[in-house]
Structures are given as C-alpha cells and as structure tokens.
Amino acid sequence: DAGVTQSPTHLIKTRGQHVTLRCSPISGHKSVSWYQQVLGQGPQFIFQYYEKEERGRGNFPDRFSARQFPNYSSELNVNALLLGDSALYLCASSFIGQGADEQYFGPGTRLTVT
Amino acid sequence: AQTVTQSQPEMSVQEAETVTLSCTYDTSESDYYLFWYKQPPSRQMILVIRQEAYKQQNATENRFSVNFQKAAKSFSLKISDSQLGDAAMYFCAYRSPHAGGTSYGKLTFGQGTILTVHP
C-alpha cells in the first residue's frame, strides 16, 4: 500500500508570495495533520482535520489555512510568505487522529522563502 | 499547555551497545499518550514505540523499550544492540487524551536527540 504522499518535494518562493502544499493520506485514513519543522527543531502542530472538518489548530497566524477534501486529501495554504516560514512541512495521516492512534508521516515538503 | 523536553541534543553509541535517550514532560493531565519517533536523514518520521499513561507496564518493541516514570514525568527510550540503521534524530512526543478543544489529536514534540552509531 502507498504511504502518505506530499507534493511538491521542494519549492522556493519569494517573500509575499502564496504557496499551496498537498497531502494524500493512506487509504482508509480519515484524519490529516500538518506540522512545521524548522531545521534542527521538533515539529510544531499547525492543523488537524478529521472527516473534512478542522478539529485542531496550533498557534500559527491566520496566514496559514488548510482544508480537507471529500477523498480525505488535504491542502495547506500559506499567504504573504515570510522568511521565517522556511521549513519542512510534514503531513501525517491516521484513522481517527487521537488517542493511541498511530500517525503516519509523509516525506515532507521543503519550503524555502527568499 | 503541555511541554516536552529532550535535554540531550546529541548522543553516540558503539554498534551492538545499548544507549538511553532521555525525555521529560510537563502536564496536569492524569491520562495521556507518549511516543518516540525516529527521523532518519531521509526525513520520513516513523513511530518507534508508544506508551499509554494508564498502563504501568513499560512498552517494548524488539530492541526498543521505554522506562516510563509517571510520577517523575519521565519517558526514556532504551535501544539495545544498536545497529547502524538506528542512526537518526529521535523525537519524544506527547498527546492529550481529550478529543475536544483546539488540541484534538495534537502531538507535542521535544527538540530531538541526534543519535550517531559508530561501527
């Protein structure tokens, strides 16, 4: 079975631009979470979606938004990019996304803002 | 808010030896879940082991085991018979059991420990 997939793998954007990152969960998983991992640090929680509804939100500005589609894939959007948004963005999928439910992570999208 | 602290930025071990990675956390909750994740240089994060706080028995997965000390809020990972493939960044993570609020399913990660395995 295919694991969690993310696209693109890498991208370079300029300050002020907008970016859309995409994630396809493992088949059968209904929960998708997004994390931001700055180089050398642990991932920081951005959003969680379950059954197409936002169920969790981390401490990120409103420039960050996300959505989950009927097929449970997800998009993370970031507007008005800042240099500090440069990071590895990880997507994780799971059945219900809580408790002891294991989250399976994708390979990530490396975003560089210049 | 819960916090997770990994006080060892880097650790090293000889192949076939045993190494222990430390993790402490702060929470006011009595029930929760703890995880150790491994992130190799290829970047894909994978689950190593998990522990439910209500279980007194320490979790074990093959060469990986934990020492869960609930009163001390400590959750260390022991890797026995270390292999070259164990080299990676290791993250300790906490998850609240509560489904409500903005923390639904949220994993709170520590800063990570880089493990080097010497042949």
Side-chain angles (χ1 to χ4, degrees), chain A residues 9-10 35 37 40-43 45 48 50 55-57 88 90 96-103 105-108 110, chain B residues 33 35 37 39 42-45 47 50 52 89 91 95-99 101-107 109-112:
Chain A
T9 303
H10 298 89
Y35 291 83
Q37 186 178 17
Q41 297 183 19
F45 174 75
Q48 181 167 16
Y50 175 64
R55 299 300 185 101
R57 174 184 285 257
L88 181 68
L90 297 170
I96 60 173
Q98 61 171 309
D101 191 28
E102 178 176 351
Q103 291 203 348
F105 284 83
R110 172 70 65 188
Chain B
Y33 302 88
F35 305 83
Y37 280 88
Q39 187 176 40
S42 64
R43 303 181 312 188
Q44 195 137 6
M45 190 101 66
L47 179 66
R50 84 191 94 187
E52 291 90 341
M89 175 81 93
F91 291 100
R95 174 186 270 163
S96 168
H98 301 298
T102 59
S103 298
Y104 181 104
K106 167 186 175 181
L107 284 172
F109 287 88
Q111 306 92 317

Side-chain angles (χ1 to χ4, degrees), chain B residues 20-37:
Chain B
T20 298
L21 308 184
S22 301
C23 172
T24 58
Y25 56 93
D26 186 28
T27 183
S28 58
E29 297 174 318
S30 59
D31 194 19
Y32 45 85
Y33 302 88
L34 297 167
F35 305 83
W36 276 99
Y37 280 88

Side-chain angles (χ1 to χ4, degrees), chain B residues 8-69:
Chain B
Q8 305 157 316
E10 298 183 30
M11 291 285 285
S12 64
V13 63
Q14 291 293 132
E15 200 174 4
E17 297 296 308
T18 295
V19 65
T20 298
L21 308 184
S22 301
C23 172
T24 58
Y25 56 93
D26 186 28
T27 183
S28 58
E29 297 174 318
S30 59
D31 194 19
Y32 45 85
Y33 302 88
L34 297 167
F35 305 83
W36 276 99
Y37 280 88
K38 170 186 176 182
Q39 187 176 40
S42 64
R43 303 181 312 188
Q44 195 137 6
M45 190 101 66
I46 56 174
L47 179 66
V48 174
I49 199 166
R50 84 191 94 187
Q51 175 80 43
E52 291 90 341
Y54 64 85
K55 291 186 178 179
Q56 293 184 339
Q57 186 172 7
N58 289 324
T60 299
E61 289 286 345
N62 300 313
R63 298 182 295 108
F64 299 87
S65 61
V66 299
N67 183 6
F68 173 50
Q69 301 289 328

Side-chain angles (χ1 to χ4, degrees), chain A residues 11-26:
Chain A
L11 74 166
I12 300 174
K13 290 287 189 177
T14 303
R15 278 176 296 177
Q17 285 189 316
H18 163 271
V19 68
T20 297
L21 311 181
R22 295 177 175 83
C23 171
S24 292
I26 292 171

Side-chain angles (χ1 to χ4, degrees), chain A residues 20-23 30 49 51-52 66-77:
Chain A
T20 297
L21 311 181
R22 295 177 175 83
C23 171
K30 298 182 178 181
Y49 279 77
E51 285 286 16
K52 293 152 279 185
R67 55 179 176 169
Q68 187 176 32
F69 298 100
N71 67 352
Y72 301 107
S73 67
S74 177
E75 283 183 353
L76 175 69
N77 295 283

